[in-house]
Amino acid sequence: MNKFNIRKLLDGLTAASSSSSGSSAANAAQPGTPRENELVPETLQSEHFQLCKTVRHGFPNQPASMAFDPVQKILAVGTQTGALRLFGRAGVECYCQHESGAAVIQLQFLINEGALVTALADDSLHMWNLRQKIPAVLHSLKFNRERITYCHLPFQSKWLYIGTERGNIHIVNVESFTLSGYVIMWNKAIELSSKTHPGPVVHISDNPMDEGKLLIGFECGVVVLWDLKSKKADYRYNYDEAIHSVAWHHEGKQFTCSHSDGTLTTWNVRVPNKPLQIITPHGKQPKDGKKPEPCRPILKVEYKTTRAGDPFMVLSGGLSYETVGRRRACLTVMHGKSTTVLEMDTPIVDFLTLCETPYPNDFQEPYAVVVLLEKDLVVIDLGQIGYPAFENPYPFTVHESPVTCCEYFADCPAELIPALYSVGQRQKRQGYSKKEWPISGGNWGQGGQSYPEIIITGHADGSIKFWDASALMLQVLYKLKTAKVFERARGKEEKANADIVDEDPFAIQTLSWCPESRLLCVAGVSAHILVYRFSKQEVTTDEVQLLEVRMQGDFSDCAVESPEPAGDQSPPLPPSSPQQENQEPPQPLTADNIACLQVRSSPLKQSAGYQVELVVQLVWVNGEPPQPITSLAINSSYGLVVFGNSSGLAVVDFLQKTVLLNLATSEVYSPCESRQPHSPRKTRQPSAAKMSRKISSSGEQKSDHDGKDVSFSRSRSSSVTSIDRESREAISAFVFCESFARKGEASLGPCLLVGTTQGGVMMLALSLPPGPDQRLEQAVVSVSPSGTISQLKGGVMAMALLDASGSLLPPAYEPWCDPNASDEEKERIKKRRPPSPPGSVEGQDGQFLVLCSEKQAKVLALPSQTRLYKHSITEASFVLRADVVTMGGANCIMCFCANGHIMALSLPSLRPLLDVNYLPLTDMRIARTFCFSNLGQALYLSSPTEVQRITYCQETCDNLQEMLSELFTPVETPEAPNKGFFKGLFGGGAQSLDREDLFGETTAGKASRTLAQHIPGQASMEGMKGAASGVVGDLARARIALDERGQKLSELEDRSAAMMASADSFSKHAHDVRTASIFILLNSNQWSV
């Protein structure tokens, strides 16, 4: 390939440059088509881009209901926002969304049929087909006149019972999703003498041993055993307290109810007058025989039997009012004479007991309890002493502390994930159950990306988590706690130091990570920066290295131009004078040279993993708190870290622990340039901590709500810290590079690109020692500004360098070497893995500088600094996130705008390749966490607990079906329990019911058309038939048919035997009668003779 000579090409590019710098409309005239006279051949075209969601990770936000398929081993969770999450084995998960967005109040699996029924708060029912990788709705049924309160689908039945708020029960055929004409009216179910309405239906279940008997629980405390064939109530059970749940004993002779006063009543089916037993699990039993003190309601109870021992009774709620304040939400397990109370971290939403058999008329043999909490999912092992929890394999700890920042790295070095996993294994908690995770259904996808992916999340408590995101999965690798470096304030006196934040002071604001050298640099909301190195060995640091930086911008020349009212103005005060602002009480001394956090003074034991090497803290200046860090970058080859805010920038040598440069923003510009500040200085800037606001679950939701009605700040940093627009020009972007420091310069050298929130792009020249061996002995000679390169509209979001062939020029880096390894090991690693070259060989003749701001993108030629291309991204909105990424062996700019558009621009010509209105910005969380990565990957936090991954690559979208996991797998339904000889002979087994004959249109008639409206789903009727008549379904129905046939043959045989016995008896009786009559006749003849 011929070398690119920028000087020879500039003269011929004047016309092309002027035409390409036109409006965005001109650029978008033919999107995706190559421009004439392109400097570099571009391979990316518009057909290579397509936007679609891939997977959603994390805990379901605002869970509301739960169901479990005991044969498929699949768990379903419904949420308050209409979302449906399905989970199987680790890595098998699926996300669906109801269009209405109404809360999912109940879920019912068609067990081992690959289908799920959801009941929503808007009184609609939906049938989901789970036999496809992306589930779809087959049918919907919308009730018009009644509100749904409870649903029940018997095992291996196609008739779904629907209880309503009016107390009626309707029956739905789940195959056709039509209503039956059979209706159980509330006034027929309760006693005729009752003058009050029983309330909504809160429970429906059929007798485990007799399908013809339906148990109906009403909220008022009335329970009715309804005979489906005779259409009347067999028994009615009355109790003074409201009912919350009912649980059958498997033999069908007793059932247990939980009540609002914390009591459990056990009833004999044939004795409706009074309960067989009344207990209050958490109430004090008085000695005088009076009723125990009332407790909180028992919201749910489950009764499960075992063959070998005592039954299990599991319940939630029921605590006494005295202990409610002292105890958190609890789950109670009663087994025999023992009662175990398990405390939960957050309130319990629902729980399910997992059993060995799906048949309700058999011994259940419970082995685990799945507890759905508001913020977590816990599975308890009932088979081990102490009931330990199973280790959860799902990525449900994303929200362990609220996420404050997020970065996505695709195609990382292959050895990174094993290294992080090995050190992360040592952090795992002990005491989990030794058994395997019981929710084990589904299969992993067949295809997937072969490259490693890592996601890094920063959190409000100062922790940083590394996640393995390869192959559409998510697994936590390693957790770093940055708060360990600092002293924790113990009292109000320590917290009151210089207006320091006492809420989330360690929250992570931004981070910079070099995957090749494994260097990590973190900035927090308290204006602190930490530099970490990765080591596989544990060390103890006697003293943490600390640098304090005093950053103060010079804005005195524009203080008089402040647009604020005169009453809010106050002249600058000397450091020793008191200061009054907004009627605040005077301080005895103006805060000065005080850091927001106190670094730990005692020795710090650092385990294997990331170990702190340097702490940099910004201090108060003349009563002004340090401004939040807005941009951050680290370079392992140069040994430098640079950070900036609205006061300016500072360059720190982390190898020699010195500050090399500390400039105000106005000083970053070349001295020959007359730079006027864009905005005046406000009288008082809020502190870094106050700008960060409290980041907690309640605060997150509040900020999201408030964020809809306020204008978003135009700087990336303030999207993390505040929705108030910055008044100062802040540093918004850094890039270390090997480039031409000045215009027209002929040689490459180490440089630092600087971008500001007002669109300025400057270059700083770095003068380094000649060799890497001298770097530890000699300091960096100089860091000098080289002047402004370009001026853009809006704040600078992204910068990058391309060589003459259009390839991305990454920053130079040093290969990773364990800092605690021996000198011989370090030398061996250096020889085996040399450092990256300082720059591209072809790039000696020229480079492309790619710039992207909130409004526009530009491409400049270096070293002439001539603009080659310009593109207006948006006029009415602004860019929230922009990244220069690699996809398909080529580069492009990816932008996410505040109006929800995701755009792609080719490089270097800035041709529009993609523009999709994907996601309107509704809260600050999306702006704070949205990020692009290489190879067509991107992500954002869709809720406080969930990570949504998307792709903008056409190839990935085409292969998505193969990459996704399968929920449904062919599994044979377990055999029904054996009746036994005597039960079959004397009729003691389970009684079946021909529901088709009872609920079908022939017998029951048609339901009212105005009661509910049938809505066909998105999936076709063929899909519905496939879901209803799959292999497993056919096997199950065949087995049922054989069982029914065998049962009918057995009944016929019993009837034949009874008839034969009756015939024999009749014949014998007739013979006896005949003999007697003959005897009488003979006697009468004898007397007559």
Side-chain angles (χ1 to χ4, degrees):
M1 182 182 293
N2 295 327
K3 291 187 177 180
F4 174 74
N5 193 320
I6 190 67
R7 291 182 177 86
K8 293 181 180 180
L9 216 69
L10 286 179
D11 295 336
L13 286 175
T14 306
S17 176
S18 60
S19 63
S20 62
S21 63
S23 64
S24 58
N27 287 339
Q30 294 179 346
T33 59
R35 288 199 179 111
E36 296 181 0
N37 301 324
E38 281 188 344
L39 300 181
V40 176
E42 297 178 2
T43 57
L44 284 180
Q45 305 299 330
S46 57
E47 57 266 20
H48 296 148
F49 290 83
Q50 183 181 347
L51 200 65
C52 67
K53 295 180 180 179
T54 53
V55 290
R56 179 171 293 199
H57 304 293
F59 181 76
N61 187 40
Q62 299 179 1
S65 54
M66 178 174 58
F68 183 72
D69 188 326
V71 179
Q72 286 290 318
K73 307 288 186 183
I74 294 292
L75 181 74
V77 177
T79 72
Q80 296 284 356
T81 57
L84 177 63
R85 298 285 302 278
L86 297 119
F87 302 96
R89 65 179 64 186
V92 176
E93 53 184 326
C94 182
Y95 162 77
C96 309
Q97 177 67 46
H98 293 89
E99 292 183 0
S100 66
V104 183
I105 59 174
Q106 199 170 350
L107 300 165
Q108 287 284 330
F109 271 104
L110 276 68
I111 296 177
N112 206 24
E113 290 291 335
L116 175 71
V117 177
T118 58
L120 271 58
D122 63 353
D123 309 311
S124 63
L125 296 173
H126 304 272
M127 167 72 78
W128 290 85
N129 177 17
L130 306 183
R131 289 175 176 259
Q132 55 196 57
K133 290 191 174 183
I134 302 178
V137 175
L138 296 170
H139 296 284
S140 297
L141 195 66
K142 181 72 168 64
F143 280 77
N144 299 321
R145 295 183 298 178
E146 296 203 50
R147 306 217 62 182
I148 299 174
T149 57
Y150 196 85
C151 302
H152 171 63
L153 180 64
F155 178 46
Q156 294 180 333
S157 170
K158 69 175 183 179
W159 298 97
L160 174 69
Y161 300 102
I162 305 294
T164 68
E165 194 175 38
R166 293 184 180 180
N168 303 324
I169 294 178
H170 302 276
I171 302 171
V172 177
N173 186 325
V174 295
E175 289 185 355
S176 60
F177 240 55
T178 56
L179 277 170
S180 168
Y182 192 110
V183 182
I184 303 175
M185 306 299 292
W186 67 270
N187 53 358
K188 294 184 179 180
I190 65 173
E191 294 184 12
L192 297 176
S193 59
S194 177
K195 297 180 180 180
T196 59
H197 191 278
V201 176
V202 296
H203 178 82
I204 306 172
S205 61
D206 50 340
N207 190 315
M209 302 301 292
D210 189 352
E211 296 176 353
K213 308 294 184 181
L214 197 67
L215 195 68
I216 308 169
F218 296 95
E219 188 180 55
C220 67
V222 176
V223 180
V224 176
L225 186 66
W226 182 265
D227 190 311
L228 292 170
K229 290 182 179 179
S230 63
K231 301 182 180 180
K232 65 178 183 179
D234 284 353
Y235 300 102
R236 297 180 178 91
Y237 315 87
N238 295 281
Y239 194 69
D240 297 336
E241 298 294 334
I243 289 177
H244 285 276
S245 69
V246 182
W248 275 104
H249 300 196
H250 87 277
E251 76 283 352
K253 297 179 180 179
Q254 296 179 0
F255 61 89
T256 300
C257 303
S258 68
H259 299 276
S260 58
D261 62 345
T263 59
L264 293 173
T265 57
T266 302
W267 299 80
N268 189 308
V269 172
R270 299 183 181 275
V271 184
N273 298 329
K274 65 176 183 177
L276 190 67
Q277 185 185 37
I278 302 176
I279 60 172
T280 307
H282 298 289
K284 295 181 180 178
Q285 301 292 335
K287 297 180 180 179
D288 53 4
K290 296 181 180 180
K291 289 183 66 176
E293 61 177 355
C295 297
R296 293 185 67 86
I298 297 178
L299 301 178
K300 186 176 182 179
V301 62
E302 288 195 350
Y303 188 95
K304 304 298 179 182
T305 54
T306 60
R307 295 182 187 274
D310 297 318
F312 283 88
M313 192 180 296
V314 186
L315 55 101
S316 63
L319 296 177
S320 65
Y321 285 98
E322 295 181 358
T323 60
V324 167
R326 300 194 304 267
R327 270 185 174 175
R328 293 173 288 185
C330 294
L331 186 81
T332 304
V333 180
M334 303 173 67
H335 184 220
K337 296 182 180 180
S338 67
T339 300
T340 305
V341 179
L342 305 173
E343 283 195 31
M344 303 294 164
D345 293 333
T346 55
I348 297 174
V349 176
D350 195 5
F351 74 87
L352 294 171
T353 307
L354 308 188
C355 303
E356 296 289 351
T357 176
Y359 294 94
N361 58 353
D362 194 10
F363 289 97
Q364 277 86 48
E365 303 294 341
Y367 60 88
V369 180
V370 181
V371 188
L372 179 64
L373 308 177
E374 284 187 359
K375 298 293 183 182
D376 200 3
L377 181 76
V378 179
V379 182
I380 298 166
D381 186 359
L382 294 178
Q384 293 189 25
I385 299 175
Y387 305 132
F390 288 87
E391 185 176 5
N392 195 326
Y394 306 139
F396 281 177
T397 59
V398 172
H399 65 289
E400 190 176 21
S401 175
V403 178
T404 55
C405 70
C406 186
E407 294 295 337
Y408 191 2
F409 300 88
D411 201 13
C412 297
E415 66 275 7
L416 257 180
I417 290 178
L420 290 168
Y421 181 79
S422 63
V423 296
Q425 284 294 101
R426 308 174 192 179
Q427 299 177 332
K428 285 197 172 183
R429 292 171 49 193
Q430 303 297 323
Y432 289 112
S433 171
K434 297 179 181 179
K435 298 180 182 178
E436 293 185 358
W437 182 250
I439 306 170
S440 56
N443 286 324
W444 295 318
Q446 299 297 323
Q449 296 99 332
S450 58
Y451 50 86
E453 302 172 73
I454 292 178
I455 296 172
I456 304 179
T457 55
H459 299 263
D461 62 353
S463 62
I464 297 174
K465 292 181 181 178
F466 292 78
W467 304 82
D468 178 9
S470 307
L472 295 185
M473 297 185 185
L474 193 67
Q475 180 185 9
V476 67
L477 294 172
Y478 171 71
K479 180 180 178 180
L480 171 65
K481 297 180 180 179
T482 64
K484 289 183 176 181
V485 180
F486 302 98
E487 300 282 1
R488 289 189 176 271
R490 299 179 181 178
K492 294 183 178 179
E493 297 80 6
E494 298 180 25
K495 288 183 179 181
N497 182 19
D499 195 22
I500 296 176
V501 174
D502 56 357
E503 295 174 343
D504 303 324
F506 310 108
I508 305 301
Q509 189 163 359
T510 183
L511 58 90
S512 176
W513 186 52
C514 177
E516 290 79 12
S517 64
R518 304 185 190 178
L519 270 178
L520 175 67
C521 189
V522 180
V525 296
S526 297
H528 61 280
I529 300 97
L530 301 99
V531 179
Y532 286 90
R533 286 188 182 273
F534 185 85
S535 175
K536 295 183 178 180
Q537 302 178 21
E538 183 178 300
V539 296
T540 299
T541 305
D542 295 332
E543 183 180 0
V544 178
Q545 296 292 323
L546 171 64
L547 281 178
E548 291 187 346
V549 179
R550 182 184 176 94
M551 296 184 69
Q552 180 182 21
D554 184 11
F555 294 89
S556 58
D557 57 345
C558 58
V560 294
E561 301 176 12
S562 176
E564 296 182 355
D568 293 337
Q569 301 283 334
S570 62
L573 298 174
S576 59
S577 63
Q579 182 178 6
Q580 289 185 348
E581 293 180 359
N582 302 326
Q583 298 181 354
E584 291 184 0
Q587 300 178 3
L589 290 174
T590 301
D592 194 35
N593 290 336
I594 298 177
C596 295
L597 299 174
Q598 183 179 357
V599 177
R600 182 171 176 167
S601 57
S602 58
L604 177 63
K605 184 178 180 181
Q606 304 194 74
S607 57
Y610 275 100
Q611 299 168 353
V612 66
E613 179 168 325
L614 177 65
V615 178
V616 182
Q617 287 187 294
L618 304 189
V619 297
W620 284 58
V621 179
N622 298 333
E624 291 282 344
Q627 297 303 305
I629 306 299
T630 57
S631 188
L632 181 70
I634 191 169
N635 187 276
S636 59
S637 182
Y638 304 158
L640 301 179
V641 58
V642 58
F643 53 89
N645 58 15
S646 58
S647 298
L649 65 85
V651 180
V652 173
D653 183 344
F654 64 82
L655 296 179
Q656 298 192 11
K657 315 297 189 293
T658 58
V659 180
L660 300 176
L661 186 69
N662 187 353
L663 292 178
T665 308
S666 59
E667 297 172 341
V668 179
Y669 295 90
S670 177
C672 61
E673 297 173 336
S674 58
R675 178 68 177 174
Q676 294 296 330
H678 288 268
S679 301
R681 176 190 181 186
K682 284 189 176 180
T683 304
R684 179 180 174 87
Q685 291 287 333
S687 69
K690 283 189 174 180
M691 291 184 68
S692 65
R693 77 184 186 277
K694 182 179 180 181
I695 307 172
S696 59
S697 56
S698 59
E700 184 85 31
Q701 295 171 0
K702 182 178 179 181
S703 64
D704 292 344
H705 181 268
D706 296 342
K708 296 178 182 179
D709 300 325
V710 296
S711 61
F712 293 97
S713 169
R714 298 299 197 265
S715 68
R716 181 188 302 182
S717 62
S718 55
S719 69
V720 178
T721 58
S722 173
I723 55 177
D724 296 327
R725 180 161 183 161
E726 294 281 355
S727 63
R728 300 177 177 179
E729 182 176 13
I731 307 297
S732 59
F734 289 118
V735 171
F736 284 103
C737 59
E738 296 280 338
S739 186
F740 305 95
R742 292 171 177 82
K743 185 175 182 179
E745 194 164 293
S747 60
L748 294 172
C751 297
L752 175 64
L753 276 168
V754 181
T756 72
T757 55
Q758 300 296 342
V761 178
M762 289 76 71
M763 185 84 80
L764 273 66
L766 308 177
S767 180
L768 301 175
D773 296 334
Q774 302 176 11
R775 180 64 182 85
L776 295 175
E777 301 174 359
Q778 299 181 18
V780 176
V781 178
S782 66
V783 181
S784 58
S786 302
T788 303
I789 295 179
S790 182
Q791 183 68 39
L792 291 83
K793 290 182 180 179
V796 177
M797 307 296 293
M799 301 181 292
L801 281 173
L802 308 179
D803 64 12
S805 63
S807 300
L808 189 64
L809 291 173
Y813 63 87
E814 287 284 338
W816 174 76
C817 180
D818 197 324
N820 301 317
S822 61
D823 295 337
E824 294 80 5
E825 180 69 19
K826 291 180 181 179
E827 288 297 328
R828 187 163 59 250
I829 292 176
K830 286 184 179 180
K831 292 179 180 179
R832 188 172 67 248
R833 298 174 58 190
S836 63
S840 172
V841 176
E842 293 191 27
Q844 301 296 330
D845 291 335
Q847 293 178 339
F848 295 107
L849 174 59
V850 180
L851 305 174
C852 183
S853 72
E854 294 170 323
K855 292 289 187 180
Q856 61 183 194
K858 289 183 180 180
V859 173
L860 279 66
L862 296 180
S864 65
Q865 301 182 6
T866 305
R867 188 188 70 194
L868 301 178
Y869 299 102
K870 176 184 174 182
H871 178 79
S872 178
I873 299 174
T874 177
E875 292 293 340
S877 185
F878 57 95
V879 176
L880 287 168
R881 178 72 186 235
D883 290 290
V884 178
V885 298
T886 300
M887 188 183 77
N891 306 304
C892 63
I893 301 177
M894 295 301 303
C895 302
F896 172 59
C897 299
N899 59 6
H901 283 252
I902 293 180
M903 304 178 184
L905 303 175
S906 69
L907 287 177
S909 66
L910 300 180
R911 285 181 296 111
L913 299 173
L914 176 73
D915 188 353
V916 177
N917 187 5
Y918 170 70
L919 179 72
L921 184 64
T922 55
D923 57 61
M924 290 305 303
R925 184 188 311 106
I926 299 174
R928 189 171 60 244
T929 59
F930 200 105
C931 54
F932 296 98
S933 186
N934 294 328
L935 305 175
Q937 306 299 323
L939 65 81
Y940 60 93
L941 254 72
S942 57
S943 73
T945 63
E946 295 169 295
V947 175
Q948 178 65 58
R949 294 170 67 178
I950 62 176
T951 181
Y952 50 88
C953 176
Q954 173 69 45
E955 184 180 359
T956 304
C957 293
D958 293 341
N959 299 329
L960 187 59
Q961 284 287 341
E962 297 180 5
M963 296 160 59
L964 293 176
S965 55
E966 291 180 325
L967 290 170
F968 181 82
T969 54
V971 180
E972 237 185 279
T973 304
E975 294 185 3
N978 191 5
K979 290 183 181 180
F981 175 76
F982 291 102
K983 285 186 178 181
L985 183 63
F986 297 106
Q991 302 296 317
S992 62
L993 175 71
D994 189 353
R995 294 188 179 93
E996 183 69 32
D997 181 57
L998 192 61
F999 302 143
E1001 187 176 330
T1002 305
T1003 306
K1006 293 184 178 181
S1008 172
R1009 293 184 178 180
T1010 60
L1011 180 61
Q1013 177 185 1
H1014 177 263
I1015 304 171
Q1018 298 176 354
S1020 62
M1021 295 298 293
E1022 288 76 9
M1024 181 271 294
K1025 292 177 181 178
S1029 60
V1031 176
V1032 179
D1034 291 339
L1035 290 174
R1037 275 186 289 277
R1039 187 178 294 106
I1040 294 171
L1042 288 174
D1043 291 342
E1044 291 177 352
R1045 183 182 179 189
Q1047 184 176 355
K1048 289 180 181 179
L1049 289 175
S1050 177
E1051 291 175 357
L1052 182 61
E1053 186 178 355
D1054 292 342
R1055 290 175 187 172
S1056 300
M1059 291 177 64
M1060 290 180 64
S1062 176
D1064 292 341
S1065 175
F1066 179 78
S1067 176
K1068 185 178 179 181
H1069 181 69
H1071 177 75
D1072 294 342
V1073 171
R1074 183 182 179 187
T1075 304
S1077 60
I1078 293 174
F1079 181 76
I1080 293 172
L1081 182 61
L1082 290 175
N1083 289 337
S1084 61
N1085 291 336
Q1086 183 180 1
W1087 287 110
S1088 62
V1089 173

